[in-house]
Amino acid sequence: MDLGIRGKRALVTAASKGLGRGCAMALAEAGVDLVLNARGAEALDATAAAIRAAHGVQVTTVAGDITSEAGRAAVLAHGPFDILVTNAGGPPPGMWHDWSRDDFIKAIDANMLTPVALMQGCLPAMIKRGWGRVVNITSQSVKSPIPQLGLSNAARAGLTGFVAGTARQVAPHGVTINNLLPGIHDTDRATALDGGVVKARGLTMEEARAERMATIPARRYGTSEEFGATCAFLCSQQAGFIVGQNILLDGGAVNLTL
Ligand code: NAP
């Protein structure tokens, strides 16, 4: 399907690996020029080179911490953008009684206030042009809490509330905002979470993965490629009537009727 976005410009943050990289690759396949961000310059440049080689689009890299004001200013300086995909690393797992105020502020900063600031930076130009697409990478924990990821549950719930209202405010201008909610996907983040289970319960990595896969109706982890393809569709012309939605990509793991 031609997504109708060839020649548009997208900002994808936290995009050198994993789900962000998957989104960047899929947008590039649709002919979108990219500004990509991550902290580590080496992996970021390698991803940019792979995307240019695969799809021939323009890719600019901006290395920096997207959760810092300076990091956000550096990427936003490359605007205006037609498409914004927000992403950042997720907060660490832990126990509710151990988290300090500072831990909560850090998580809220990274996984709520950073995407909010990026939207505030990009939406005015989208509204002015009468067209825009925003996709926020959040988590299945928005619909079904993951107890040990309480920092993520809390911060992402805040972002979800902001998007629910704001998406309706910008929709009259041809701008859509939606959230993509990953369940478990085969990325470094999943390896780190499984590593925690290995350490806590004395399992092998294979056992930890097999145990987790058994809880997913699709009996496997998702891939960055299929996640990216869904993101690119949400950024397409055809997705213009999808507004303020929270779309689960979880192999059926969250047991919900609606
Ligand atoms: P990943 O494979 O660990 O990749 C994270 C990417 O983000 C890397 O490119 C990393 O590069 C970059 N990054 C991390 N912190 C950053 C920061 N402060 N500023 C700029 N770039 C940053 O993670 P993932 O699995 O793709 O996960 C992406 C998001 O989805 C996370 O928020 C995660 O919690 C959430 N999620 C993932 C899963 C899953 O199963 N994978 C499930 C639910 C939710 P640098 O380290 O070089 O900065």
Side-chain angles (χ1 to χ4, degrees), residues 24-226:
M25 191 62 90
L27 286 169
E29 190 180 349
V32 174
D33 294 323
L34 299 167
V35 174
L36 301 183
N37 150 270
R39 290 165 304 182
E42 202 178 319
L44 184 61
D45 288 342
T47 290
I51 291 174
R52 284 187 205 104
H55 301 299
V57 296
Q58 285 179 27
V59 186
T60 304
T61 59
V62 185
D65 185 343
I66 200 61
T67 69
S68 73
E69 219 169 306
R72 288 190 292 273
V75 292
L76 290 172
H78 289 265
F81 300 104
D82 306 293
I83 294 167
L84 167 67
V85 180
T86 76
N87 186 31
M95 281 297 284
W96 59 270
H97 43 69
D98 294 334
W99 292 316
S100 66
R101 177 181 163 78
D102 279 353
D103 293 327
F104 277 101
I105 299 290
K106 206 169 162 202
I108 290 168
D109 227 358
N111 298 110
M112 178 187 172
L113 298 180
T114 289
V116 167
L118 289 168
M119 283 186 266
Q120 287 173 328
C122 293
L123 286 170
M126 293 178 182
I127 289 168
K128 205 168 161 195
R129 294 166 164 204
W131 197 94
R133 298 283 184 264
V134 179
V135 175
N136 299 294
I137 300 179
T138 65
S139 172
Q140 72 176 22
S141 69
V142 167
K143 293 220 185 224
S144 173
I146 302 171
Q148 67 277 20
L149 289 179
L151 293 173
S152 169
N153 300 338
R156 297 189 200 277
L159 172 64
T160 305
F162 174 81
V163 165
T166 308
R168 271 94 187 166
Q169 289 175 310
V170 301
H173 306 283
V175 179
T176 71
I177 312 178
N178 293 286
N179 301 323
L180 264 186
L181 285 51
I184 198 77
H185 281 70
D186 217 344
T187 67
D188 288 356
R189 166 80 170 170
T191 305
L193 291 175
D194 287 339
V197 174
V198 165
K199 215 167 139 191
R201 301 200 18 234
L203 304 176
T204 65
M205 193 55 131
E206 290 66 35
E207 287 167 339
R209 281 174 67 97
E211 206 175 273
R212 200 196 289 272
M213 279 181 201
T215 68
I216 305 169
R219 297 286 185 267
R220 65 176 178 86
Y221 288 13
T223 69
S224 300
E225 289 76 15
E226 54 199 354

